[in-house]
Structure formats: structure tokens, C-alpha cells
Amino acid sequence: MKNKKGLLILILLILTNNAFTQKSSVKEYASTVESSSLVLPQIQVVPIKDTKTERNYELYIELPEDYSENNNKNYPVLYYTDAMWHLEMLSGSTEYILEDIILVGISWQLDINKDLKKEVGKHVSRYRDYSFRKSNKPEIQFKYQFGQANKHLDFIRNDIITYVDKTYRTDPNSRTYFGYSMSGEFGAYILLSKPDTFNNYILGSPSIKNEVAYLSELNTKFGPFDASNRNSSLNANVFISYGSLEKDMEPIEEFIKLLKDRRDSGLSVLNEVIEGTHGTAFPMTTVRSVTWLSSMMNHVSSENNDISFWSTPHLNNPYISTTPENRNDGISVDTLAVNTKDRNAILNLSQEIFEGKHGSYDAVLVSHKNKLVFESYYKKGRINVPHGQASAVKAYTSLVLGRAMQMGYLSMEDLNKPLISFLKDINPEKITKGAEKITLHKALTMHGGLTINNDTWKDIENDSVRLKGQGLVQTLLEQTKPITSESQTYLYGNFNPMLVMTVIDAVVPGTAEDFIKTELLDKLGITNYTWSNHISGLPEAGWRVSMMSRDMIKLGNLVLNKGKLHGEQLISAEYLATATSGIVKPTEDWMPKDYRYGYFWYQTSVQVGNKSYDASFAWGGGGQRVIVIAALDLTIVISGHDREDKIMTPISEIIIPAFVTQ
């Protein structure tokens, strides 16, 4: 199709050039040659009637080039209104960015009042069909019949979509709406009144200047988001744009805020400001939005990853593979070799995860005997995009310490020495009584004993000068109450991890940041990641790290192999055995009662039949987990953004038992 279009453009250019260079013969040709309209053979024109209102319209349907060759393939569908205005740009954009999609353009009403059509234009019905409130001026209302968006929406849902789904091989999980200006306003109405009409919404410069209050009413009527009720989510990906020179940007920004304030985990909203006015921003809006749309059709992202995690659109369909591909990233792959019953159970669980039955999760990967045998991505998960790790970073910090120990910068005996003995910049005269009771062992098990007033710390925590380097520990030890046996109880948080990171920075050559990169991540082949710095300038030790799910597998397999990588002892085996054991009992109410804690690693037992298997795991909020079950040669990685985080139950009941007899 690209070649055909290119040839057509070339012919048109040649003809245009001839028109300018042969002016003397133009009139002669014009008088002897009858002109004709250009017909695009790939566009099917289908008459369709609104069965309720008896109004007549047309659909302009463009099928993918390979549609007739793939009889077993279902295709996503992009529906767009104002068809005659939008057809060419959408056809061209999808041709080069998103080929495998069915385009369905919806015309304006054909059998509209002729006098009105002549006075206003062929597009006059859009004022009635795309508006959701009546005009307060009787003469205007009588003429244009504003406020019939509900009827047009019924037509789209009951007649158009029904026809397209029955006639073509469509993907019910990948249905998109495109609207610009007033038809963008119509799209906003659909989103908040019948959000399940489409999975994805492209709203270019929506004309909602006086409609935000009504849209807010629709949002209130739909109801707030409740994580425990999947039906309370709008379950949609939304692209909203406007021109940088538009006059009425504020209402669009209000609408965007309205959507984001839902805190709806099933709703993804991306806002883009396109250079230009309301009119000139249209072409680039089309290109940008189609590019955005392509990002949810594939588990491999082609985007530059500049958008925030929460703006990342949800995949329209899950990617589930029992034969993961070899991406030449240092990970060995194999086939999921479990019995048919267990295999089907895992696949069924994967579909349930995609449907949100177990919460909001983005990836589940399984490595058996150091080979990746199962890989799946959902929602915001992408194979090549780093995912936030939350508090799983604490466990990675523990591995960094183990690397320093293997290289001789620390010893097992050092774990029980006063932490401040490694920090030469600390002024002992200013720190609290009992500070010497804080050891690496105590900090690693969340028993540091720091007690600091939250309000006081809020006034200090952004002081980059005072907290720079070891100034962080100096300030913590100045602000805390005395360290006693009574204060050194389990207290989860990020102070203890930063105590450990400060020691790492003090004992390794160069900086902790360089050490993490060269001595751990580089050796594992982990290159696509972000590891943020704390206000102190040191690497974060408890959160604010993003990493790809496959790289999480590498960290898990390193633990599975007792710290060895390709025959080299990367992490001290003695340290790692202690770090991943159940040293202390966490006392936080939100932690399961059977969990124990090592050196920033959790430990628990998984019961399968009458057998029990020890599991060590890194755990971060939202559902980030790197689970290692040495007795089964098993590493399981989970990425998510779920508030309740209950995924361990199906993992323990379905995935882990499948490998017990392998």
C-alpha cells in the first residue's frame, strides 16, 4: 500500500509540475478533458442507518493490507468522527505507524435538511450529534437541535460497532475513538458516560469551554474509583492534546485534572501540548496520537520512555509466552515444561491478571534452572521499559553491600561493629547518646533505633548542604532520641537503608554510585535502568529505582546461585546466606504473620501439599517482587502497581506447585 501511495503522490507531483510548466496548454486541455474525482480503492463506503432515529450515515472503512491473508487474525479498530475531515491524516498516519488496524470513519448525517446543509455546510449535523447540552437560546436550539450526543452514542454502540464486529475480524479489547475539536468534546462525553464503549480515547483539542461542570457531574454520577471494585474504574487509556497557541486551554487542563484526581488505577491519561493553534495543531495531533496508540498494541515499546509511569497506557491485550524470546540480553531462555494441567492453570491465571481479577499487575516472569521459561506483560508492563521497584531496592542495596564484602572492603565481623566507626566525617561530640549501638546488622534488620520527630525532619529533609554525604547520618544522629535497647526494635522505613548506603560509600573506592554500576549492574548486564540519588548525593537505598523485569530476573538468579555469576563469586556466599534468612520477626501490622526479615530480604515458607519450601524475596510496594526458591531452582519476578498487593496467594497456589515435580 505504501508503494501504491508513493506512486500516486509521484504522479500527482508530475501532473502539478506539468501544470505550471505548460501554462499555455492548460485552457486547451481544460476545454477538452472532463475531470473526475479521485477514488481511493482501499476505502469501502458502507451506508448505515440509525435504527432509532432513521437518520442515514456512511461508514468509510479501511482494512489493513494483509487482512485477507490472515484469516485467523483479529484486528484493533479505530473509529473516528468528522470522517471527511480526518480520513486522510488518519489513513496516512496509521499506514506508517500502525499498519495492522481497521479504520472506521463515521460521516455526518446524509439526509439532513437541504436548506440547512446549504446554509451551514455538509457538517451541520455534528452540532447536534456531538453536543450533550441544549442551547439556552430558543432560536439557535430550534435550528441546530443541540444536545443529542446521547442518541448519537447509542447509534455508535448499537448499530455501528455491532455492524463492524459482525462483519470484520475485530479485537474486542482494542477499540479506539478519535475526535478533534467538537468531536473531541463528544469523546469526553463518551468517556464519562459510557466508558466501556472504547478502550482508548484520543481527544484532540476538545471544545469543552463551557462543559467542564457538566463533565464533572458525569464523573460524579459514574462514581469514585474503588480498588476493590473493578467496575468502578473507567478502564481506559486517554490521550488529550491541545495547541500551544489555543485560546481556551484552561478548560482542557481542568478536565485533565478531573480525570487524574480520580486516582483510578485502570485509567491512564497522557496530555500533550502540540505547537500551533487550534487548527494548525491537528496534523501533529494525529501523528502523536497514533504513535501513542501503537504503544499499547505491543509489549515492546518503541517510545523514548520520557512519559511518566502513570501516563503509560495499558496494553490492550496481554503478552503471554511459554517460550520467551532470546533478546541477547544475557538471559538464557527455554520452554515452560510443566504438565498440561499446570500449564493451563498458569495461562488461565495470566488471563485473570490481565482482566484485573487479582489486582493491577504489569509483569510476571518465571525462571527455572536459570532459564527464563515464562514471560508475561500486562497493563503498564513493557519488556524493554524499566519499572519502578519501590522498596525492593532495599534488597538490592543489601546485594551491593555483599559485593563490597566479597571484594574485601568489609567483613562479616564488621556487621557487628558500630556503624559510625566506618564514617570518618562524623563529629561524635554532637551525636545522640548510644549512637554506637547502631551496627550494620541492626540497620540491615531495621533495628537501628532512630526516633525522629516527623515535623522536625520535614524542615531538614531538603537541605542538600547540611545532608550532603555523611552529613545525612550526622544529622540523623543529632536529631534522634537516645539509642537504647528499647528503641532498637523493628521499624520499617528508609533511614536504616540510607545508613547502610553511607557506609558503602565510605568503604569502597570512588563513590557508591560508581561501585553499584561497575561492580554489580554492569557485571549483570543491567544497563537500562534509573537509580536516583538521595538529597545527600548518595544513591537511594530504599526506593526510587527503575529496572526492567528481565533484569530483576538476573538479580534473583544471582541469589539463587549463591552469589555466583558465570563461575565468579560476585556476592559473598556467607553474607548472602545470612541476608536471605529469617533473622527477625517484622512487627508491622500490614506484613503477613509468617514473614520473617533478613538483611533487607524477606523470608517465608510456601506450603505445597505436605512439603514446605523456603522462599526468599525482595518486596516493594505495588507488588514488586523477586522471589527465589532455591530448593526448586526457581526465580519468579512480579511487577505491579496494586494498592492491596495480594498476588502472592495465586503465585503460591498455582505457579510454584507447577515446579514441585519438575
Side-chain angles (χ1 to χ4, degrees):
M1 189 181 293
K2 290 178 183 176
N3 291 335
K4 291 179 181 178
K5 285 188 175 179
L7 181 60
L8 177 61
I9 292 171
L10 179 60
I11 292 172
L12 290 173
L13 287 173
I14 292 173
L15 291 175
T16 302
N17 184 61
N18 287 342
F20 282 105
T21 58
Q22 301 177 27
K23 286 184 179 180
S24 61
S25 59
V26 169
K27 292 183 179 180
E28 179 183 347
Y29 276 105
S31 63
T32 60
V33 179
E34 184 177 348
S35 64
S36 62
S37 299
L38 175 64
V39 177
L40 300 178
Q42 74 272 22
I43 305 292
Q44 302 174 16
V45 180
V46 179
I48 191 166
K49 178 176 286 190
D50 185 331
T51 54
K52 289 186 177 179
T53 66
E54 298 292 318
R55 296 165 181 162
N56 289 296
Y57 296 80
E58 285 179 339
L59 302 180
Y60 307 113
I61 299 176
E62 182 175 355
L63 301 178
E65 191 170 357
D66 67 349
Y67 183 85
S68 61
E69 301 169 5
N70 293 285
N71 294 327
N72 296 321
K73 183 176 180 180
N74 292 335
Y75 292 82
V77 184
L78 171 58
Y79 294 84
Y80 59 99
T81 41
D82 282 330
M84 294 308 295
W85 290 343
H86 300 162
L87 184 151
E88 292 175 288
M89 279 301 303
L90 284 171
S91 180
S93 297
T94 53
E95 173 68 18
Y96 285 91
I97 301 171
L98 186 59
E99 291 184 356
D100 290 342
I101 193 168
I102 298 172
L103 296 180
V104 178
I106 305 170
S107 78
W108 304 304
Q109 184 187 347
L110 302 178
D111 52 341
I112 196 78
N113 179 279
K114 292 182 179 179
D115 293 335
L116 189 60
K117 184 188 294 187
K118 184 176 181 180
E119 177 188 350
V120 180
K122 294 180 180 180
H123 61 279
V124 65
S125 63
R126 73 194 297 264
Y127 299 120
R128 176 198 66 214
D129 290 344
Y130 304 163
S131 62
F132 39 84
R133 290 194 310 121
K134 294 182 178 181
S135 172
N136 55 12
K137 297 179 180 180
E139 67 281 4
I140 297 296
Q141 179 60 32
F142 178 79
K143 182 175 182 179
Y144 292 100
Q145 298 294 301
F146 285 107
Q148 296 190 35
N150 59 330
K151 293 182 180 180
H152 200 57
L153 176 54
D154 285 343
F155 169 49
I156 291 174
R157 287 172 62 93
N158 301 327
D159 295 325
I160 295 178
I161 293 176
T162 299
Y163 168 79
V164 171
D165 285 348
K166 286 183 177 180
T167 309
Y168 304 99
R169 299 189 308 277
T170 63
D171 179 356
N173 294 326
S174 189
R175 193 182 290 152
T176 302
Y177 174 82
F178 178 99
Y180 194 86
S181 191
M182 193 170 188
S183 55
E185 172 188 338
F186 179 53
Y189 169 79
I190 301 172
L191 172 65
L192 290 177
S193 58
K194 295 289 179 64
D196 63 341
T197 306
F198 301 100
N199 308 98
N200 317 302
Y201 290 80
I202 298 172
L203 312 178
S205 296
S207 301
I208 54 174
K209 180 178 180 180
N210 300 310
E211 309 299 349
V212 176
Y214 182 76
L215 291 170
S216 181
E217 289 179 20
L218 289 178
N219 181 55
T220 302
K221 184 177 180 180
F222 185 83
F225 173 69
D226 178 357
S228 63
N229 179 9
R230 287 185 293 138
N231 294 326
S232 67
S233 173
L234 292 177
N235 287 315
N237 296 311
V238 183
F239 177 101
I240 306 177
S241 68
Y242 55 82
S244 59
L245 301 178
E246 292 206 37
K247 297 179 180 179
D248 299 315
M249 295 181 286
E250 291 79 8
I252 301 176
E253 291 173 347
E254 286 182 49
F255 178 60
I256 293 168
K257 184 177 185 301
L258 181 151
L259 294 177
K260 291 186 174 182
D261 284 350
R262 286 182 57 81
R263 298 183 61 81
D264 185 337
S265 64
L267 175 67
S268 165
V269 180
L270 176 64
N271 170 224
E272 288 213 15
V273 179
I274 310 294
E275 185 176 350
T277 64
H278 183 80
T280 61
F282 171 71
M284 189 53 67
T285 296
T286 305
V287 174
R288 295 265 190 93
S289 63
V290 170
T291 302
W292 168 82
L293 186 60
S294 70
S295 71
M296 63 197 71
M297 305 294 179
N298 199 319
H299 69 290
V300 182
S301 175
S302 59
E303 290 290 284
N304 56 17
N305 305 330
D306 286 340
I307 64 174
S308 71
F309 173 77
W310 294 108
S311 294
T312 301
H314 292 184
L315 290 172
N316 282 172
N317 287 290
Y319 172 82
I320 302 170
S321 176
T322 56
T323 55
E325 61 180 312
N326 183 359
R327 293 180 60 83
N328 298 314
D329 56 2
I331 291 181
S332 298
V333 298
D334 206 342
T335 299
L336 180 65
V338 298
N339 65 52
T340 302
K341 180 181 178 181
D342 288 334
R343 183 179 186 277
N344 290 338
I346 292 173
L347 293 176
N348 183 62
L349 171 62
S350 300
Q351 186 61 36
E352 289 180 351
I353 292 173
F354 169 68
E355 294 170 358
K357 293 181 179 179
H358 300 283
S360 297
Y361 292 92
D362 304 310
V364 176
L365 284 71
V366 180
S367 174
H368 187 225
K369 298 180 180 179
N370 288 287
K371 292 184 178 181
L372 186 64
V373 298
F374 180 79
E375 186 169 24
S376 59
Y377 296 95
Y378 323 90
K379 301 185 185 299
K380 297 178 181 292
R382 304 294 191 274
I383 195 171
N384 59 335
V385 176
H387 192 289
Q389 298 296 294
S391 287
V393 176
K394 296 175 174 65
Y396 309 159
T397 297
S398 181
L399 295 181
V400 176
L401 185 71
R403 177 60 179 154
M405 192 168 289
Q406 177 61 29
M407 296 182 72
Y409 301 122
L410 290 167
S411 67
M412 290 297 289
E413 290 73 23
D414 288 335
L415 294 174
N416 293 305
K417 293 179 181 178
L419 186 142
I420 56 175
S421 67
F422 302 100
L423 307 178
K424 305 308 179 184
D425 295 339
I426 296 296
N427 183 349
E429 297 180 2
K430 293 185 177 181
I431 60 178
T432 192
K433 182 179 180 181
E436 70 283 354
K437 294 180 182 292
I438 304 177
T439 63
L440 279 171
H441 171 83
K442 290 289 187 181
L444 286 162
T445 55
M446 294 292 183
H447 281 68
L450 296 174
T451 308
I452 298 175
N453 182 275
N454 288 334
D455 292 334
T456 301
W457 188 251
K458 285 180 179 179
D459 295 334
I460 301 172
E461 62 182 355
N462 293 316
D463 190 337
S464 60
V465 175
R466 180 175 179 178
L467 301 181
K468 184 177 181 180
Q470 294 180 22
L472 169 65
V473 176
Q474 178 76 45
T475 304
L476 288 171
L477 295 179
E478 288 176 4
Q479 295 298 319
T480 184
K481 294 180 180 179
I483 308 299
T484 65
S485 299
E486 290 73 24
S487 73
Q488 288 191 301
T489 57
Y490 186 90
L491 181 63
Y492 190 81
N494 283 327
F495 285 153
N496 285 302
M498 285 308 300
L499 294 178
V500 174
M501 185 61 77
T502 307
V503 171
I504 293 172
D505 188 70
V507 302
V508 302
T511 65
E513 182 177 358
D514 290 339
F515 186 80
I516 291 170
K517 179 182 183 298
T518 59
E519 292 300 333
L520 183 64
L521 302 182
D522 282 356
K523 289 183 179 295
L524 289 168
I526 298 175
T527 58
N528 186 6
Y529 68 93
T530 58
W531 196 308
S532 300
N533 283 339
H534 184 267
I535 191 70
S536 63
L538 301 176
E540 287 284 6
W543 66 326
R544 296 182 66 213
V545 170
S546 293
M547 195 173 293
M548 294 189 298
S549 299
R550 279 192 166 214
D551 288 337
M552 296 166 71
I553 282 284
K554 295 177 182 179
L555 292 169
N557 284 345
L558 182 63
V559 173
L560 178 69
N561 297 319
K562 299 181 180 179
K564 280 190 175 182
L565 178 69
H566 306 314
E568 177 188 357
Q569 193 68 48
L570 206 62
I571 308 295
S572 164
E574 183 181 4
Y575 171 82
L576 194 56
T578 303
T580 56
S581 64
I583 301 172
V584 299
K585 180 72 179 75
T587 56
E588 302 285 350
D589 292 340
W590 49 270
M591 292 185 183
K593 294 181 180 179
D594 58 347
Y595 280 17
R596 295 190 66 82
Y597 203 67
Y599 289 164
F600 297 156
W601 281 80
Y602 293 86
Q603 186 274 335
T604 192
S605 294
V606 177
Q607 196 74 26
V608 180
N610 58 359
K611 290 186 178 181
S612 181
Y613 299 90
D614 286 337
S616 301
F617 57 100
W619 183 21
Q624 325 318 316
R625 280 187 174 85
V626 178
I627 306 166
V628 179
I629 305 177
L632 298 177
D633 267 335
L634 196 62
T635 301
I636 301 172
V637 158
I638 305 166
S639 297
H641 57 284
D642 189 68
R643 296 179 185 178
E644 297 185 6
D645 192 15
K646 297 180 179 179
I647 195 67
M648 277 300 288
T649 298
I651 296 295
S652 300
E653 293 177 351
I654 296 173
I655 294 182
I656 294 174
F659 294 88
V660 169
T661 58
Q662 303 307 307

